[in-house]
């Protein structure tokens, strides 16, 4: 235990003496949490639309007003020919073309039937999908209003309609910040902890100080524990800072028990730091460690369920995400922060993360060799 | 005389390359043993095997009575090591480095305090003791790493080119430190490229291409080769080297 005390003293001195590092640890989470949630928004607004209007009628004008008034679309141009509108798509000024055909109003009134043509620029898949869907909804609403105008609503309606009224639980206004902030915080804690620990032992190898350590009778597990604890403490600090930012900037306070959240984090950090140290024991230079850590981080983050739902991934990807510690943390963050889940709900997550922690750290201790 | 290091056909291979080939020698308690050889002759590899940093490929050796295969951790309790590359923490101060390594070797707080006060006094570092080690000139760094290597009163201290790149005056002071250590009963195992330093050793071995080609007192070696200085002894032997220096 005395050895660990000396190791901790040394590590903390080195960390606090590294001003850049301390600044990064403190500033990065605050700045990223202020910027990313505002940008990482699934709602698509400002869809640029070009409308080709061949029918100079009241209905056509109503429809156009309806589209532009929805708040989702920005009218780029009103064209007279489709080719003109297409040019706007080609120059990336427009995302969508809506073509209103000649005699739109006349056919609608006389024949009770009309077709509209929508062309979507599908280079940006998300925008194209949502833009097309929004536009379809607006046109359907427009259509329903017309029907109300023409037919008096009778109790014996010819067309039975099932109206769906969804209620969003735990996040009633589908506020993306509420959804993203806990997830982004989870990623930040993971990245800071993972990188710091991955770069640490390998730095001692690069500088050569590890030789002086390896020639002492220090126990391997003491050495690893001495490396683990400082970053564990830093991880806790970063997380606390992040929670404060979430509260002050977005008014997000955990619905569930704060102690539970920290309890999970304590275990989770052991797993992430263990992985970092493991990378550190396998590499010889900080550059190698950085790239390997980056490789894992990339996969972990993209397959964590932060941006895309794990449930909609193919089954092989689901297996990978089960081997991804980050996915458990993001899950727990959302469960405890938004839903107020209790200990019983997150026991499986804790179990998984506990296993990761044991495996990574044991592996790191075994793979750290004082004698080559 | 009691041998504190004994090796028998100690060999280290890296693939096809034999860095250290069948070396057999003994180092006696209390002596200064000079371990000479050109760059790439295999000195550092041999030293790393003796300090438990590297496992030998074949042969046997004991250091302070412990086996280099099975008892490396017990060897480490009994030796001090100063590597060729400066390897104290440059972002810690003089005092913090001494305190850290004292702590790792299991010295009591009181002993650490006494030792560090004594050391900075001895090294003339009193006014620099709160400075970061990285800011010290090389000569002082080397003296500090030597002091840290003997902090825990080891039986044997291994010094890998301790005076490389150091000015003549500091080199002399460094050897004063080495003599002071031997007077306390520490056995010194040292590599060097300075032949004047070789003369300070009790006995010398000269390695060429991974093998020990000569081993005796400086006086006997000069007589055996019929030359007047260690320089010439070294030239005669090192000229036969086939391996290119790294």
């Amino acid at each position: 235990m005395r050895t660990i005390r000396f190791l901790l003293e040394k590590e903390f001195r080195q960390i606090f003496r590294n001003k850049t590092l301390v600044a990064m640890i403190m500033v990065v989470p605050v700045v990223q949490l202020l910027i990313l949630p505002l940008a990482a928004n699934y709602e698509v607004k400002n869809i640029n639309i070009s409308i080709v209007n061949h029918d100079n009628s009241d209905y056509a004008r109503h429809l156009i007003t309806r589209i532009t008034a929805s708040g989702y679309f920005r009218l780029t141009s009103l064209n007279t020919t489709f080719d003109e509108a297409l040019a706007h798509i080609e120059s990336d000024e427009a995302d969508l073309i809506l073509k209103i055909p000649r005699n739109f109003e006349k056919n609608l009134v006389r024949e009770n039937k009309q077709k509209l043509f929508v062309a979507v620029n599908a280079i940006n898949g998300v925008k194209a999908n949502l833009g097309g869907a929004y536009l379809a909804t607006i046109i359907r609403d427009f259509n329903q209003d017309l029907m109300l105008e023409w037919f008096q609503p009778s109790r014996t309606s010819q067309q039975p309609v099932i109206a769906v009224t969804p209620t969003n639980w735990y996040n009633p206004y589908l506020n993306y910040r509420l959804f993203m902030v806990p997830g982004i915080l989870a990623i930040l804690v993971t990245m800071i902890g993972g990188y710091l620990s991955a770069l640490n032992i390998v730095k001692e190898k690069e500088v050569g100080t590890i030789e002086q350590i390896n020639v002492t009778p220090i126990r391997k597990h003491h050495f690893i524990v001495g490396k683990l604890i400082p970053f564990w403490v830093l991880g806790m600090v970063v997380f606390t800072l992040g929670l404060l930012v979430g509260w002050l900037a977005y008014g997000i306070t955990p619905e569930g028990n704060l102690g539970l959240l920290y309890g999970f984090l304590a275990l989770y950090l052991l797993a992430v730091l263990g992985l970092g140290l493991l990378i550190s024991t396998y590499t010889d230079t900080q550059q190698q460690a950085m790239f390997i850590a980056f490789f894992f981080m990339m996969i972990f983050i993209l397959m964590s369920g932060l941006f895309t739902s794990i449930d909609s991934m193919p089954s092989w990807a689901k297996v990978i995400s089960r081997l991804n510690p980050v996915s458990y943390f993001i899950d727990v963050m959302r469960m405890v922060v938004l839903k107020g889940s209790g200990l019983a709900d997150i026991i499986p997550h804790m179990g998984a993360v506990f296993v990761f922690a044991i495996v990574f750290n044991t592996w790191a201790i075994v793979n750290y060799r004082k004698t080559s | 005389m009691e041998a504190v290091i004994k090796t028998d056909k100690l060999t280290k291979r890296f693939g096809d390359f034999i860095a250290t080939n069948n070396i057999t020698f003994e180092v006696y308690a209390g002596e200064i043993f000079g371990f000479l050889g050109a760059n790439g002759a295999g000195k550092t590899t041999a030293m790393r095997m003796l300090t438990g940093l590297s496992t030998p490929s074949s042969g046997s050796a004991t250091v302070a009575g412990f086996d280099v295969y099975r008892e490396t951790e017990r060897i480490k309790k009994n030796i001090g090591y100063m590597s060729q590359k400066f390897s104290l923490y440059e972002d810690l101060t003089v005092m913090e480095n001494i305190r850290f390594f004292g702590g790792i070797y299991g010295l009591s707080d009181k002993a650490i305090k006494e030792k560090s006060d004594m050391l900075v006094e001895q090294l003339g570092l009193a006014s620099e003791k709160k400075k970061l080690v990285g800011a010290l000139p090389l000569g002082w760094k080397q003296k500090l790493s030597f002091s840290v290597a003997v902090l825990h009163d080891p039986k044997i201290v291994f010094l890998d080119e301790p005076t490389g790149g150091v000015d003549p005056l500091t080199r002399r002071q460094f050897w004063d430190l080495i003599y002071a250590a031997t007077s306390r009963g520490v056995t010194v195992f040292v590599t060097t490229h300075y032949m004047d330093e070789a003369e300070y050793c009790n006995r010398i071995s000269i390695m060429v291409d991974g093998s020990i080609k000569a081993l005796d007192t400086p006086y006997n070696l000069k007589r055996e080769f019929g030359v007047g200085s260690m320089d010439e002894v070294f030239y005669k032997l090192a000229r036969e080297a086939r391996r290119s220096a790294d």
Side-chain angles (χ1 to χ4, degrees), chain A residues 2-3 5-7 9-10 13-14 17 203-219 223 370-372, chain B residues 12 48 51-55 72-73 76-77 81 85 87-89 91-93 96 99-101 103-105 107-109 112 132:
Chain A
R2 247 175 73 80
T3 315
R5 197 187 91 202
F6 283 101
L7 277 167
E9 219 181 270
K10 163 199 161 260
R13 281 210 171 101
Q14 289 184 302
R17 218 155 262 169
K203 185 189 169 197
E204 295 222 19
K205 285 190 200 170
E206 237 178 42
V207 180
T209 49
I210 196 96
E211 286 260 298
Q212 204 64 49
I213 294 282
N214 286 347
V215 85
T216 68
I218 195 171
R219 309 284 295 275
F223 183 71
K370 289 178 69 184
T371 305
S372 57
Chain B
K12 178 81 184 186
R48 288 174 57 86
T51 51
L53 286 175
S54 162
T55 311
T72 51
E73 295 310 291
K76 285 170 185 173
K77 278 204 178 81
Y81 173 66
K85 192 175 165 195
S87 49
L88 297 184
Y89 292 95
D91 49 355
L92 294 182
T93 67
E96 287 163 357
R99 181 178 158 73
F100 173 66
F101 283 103
I104 296 296
Y105 278 110
L107 266 55
S108 71
D109 287 304
I112 291 174
L132 294 187

Side-chain angles (χ1 to χ4, degrees), chain B residues 231-243:
Chain B
D231 253 352
E232 291 167 83
V233 176
F234 189 83
Y235 285 141
K236 281 201 162 181
L237 284 167
R239 254 205 312 261
E240 296 163 18
R242 300 259 174 80
R243 252 185 225 170

Side-chain angles (χ1 to χ4, degrees), chain B residues 12-211:
Chain B
K12 178 81 184 186
R13 277 183 223 96
F14 297 104
D16 290 339
F17 179 73
I18 304 173
T20 306
N21 193 3
N22 281 317
I23 57 170
T24 303
F25 64 92
E26 288 188 347
V27 176
Y28 305 122
E31 74 173 333
I32 301 178
F33 187 85
F35 203 56
L36 273 52
N39 290 330
K43 302 185 302 289
T44 300
T45 309
M47 199 179 260
R48 288 174 57 86
M49 286 191 280
L50 296 177
T51 51
L53 286 175
S54 162
T55 311
S57 307
S58 64
S60 63
T62 59
V63 174
F66 299 110
D67 185 78
V68 290
Y69 290 95
R70 290 174 290 108
E71 297 170 310
T72 51
E73 295 310 291
R74 295 176 77 172
I75 290 177
K76 285 170 185 173
K77 278 204 178 81
N78 289 286
I79 61 163
Y81 173 66
M82 179 180 161
S83 85
Q84 198 170 356
K85 192 175 165 195
F86 180 73
S87 49
L88 297 184
Y89 292 95
E90 302 221 337
D91 49 355
L92 294 182
T93 67
V94 172
M95 290 300 259
E96 287 163 357
N97 265 295
I98 298 174
R99 181 178 158 73
F100 173 66
F101 283 103
I104 296 296
Y105 278 110
L107 266 55
S108 71
D109 287 304
K110 193 163 151 271
I112 291 174
K113 174 112 197 21
E114 284 171 10
K115 288 258 181 190
S116 25
D117 287 343
M118 196 190 79
L119 271 180
V120 285
E121 197 57 45
Q122 207 176 47
L123 298 175
L125 282 173
S127 57
E128 323 281 328
K129 65 180 185 181
K130 294 213 167 118
K131 265 197 187 166
L132 294 187
V133 166
L136 294 180
L138 181 66
W140 283 1
K141 280 186 186 169
Q142 297 299 80
K143 285 194 277 183
L144 179 64
S145 14
F146 176 76
S147 306
V148 168
V150 294
L151 192 63
H152 55 294
D153 293 321
K155 287 203 177 102
I156 310 157
V157 62
F158 291 85
L159 310 173
D160 197 355
E161 287 183 32
T163 54
V166 168
D167 68 75
L169 181 64
T170 314
R171 281 210 288 141
R172 180 60 65 84
Q173 290 169 347
F174 196 93
W175 276 86
D176 287 342
L177 289 175
I178 294 182
Y179 280 125
T182 48
S183 70
R184 294 196 303 270
V186 179
T187 306
V188 177
F189 186 100
V190 58
T191 74
T192 179
H193 288 307
Y194 297 107
M195 291 305 135
D196 58 327
E197 290 184 354
E199 307 266 5
Y200 301 152
C201 299
N202 299 112
R203 287 192 309 140
I204 283 170
S205 74
I206 298 180
M207 271 185 96
V208 178
D209 287 352
S211 310

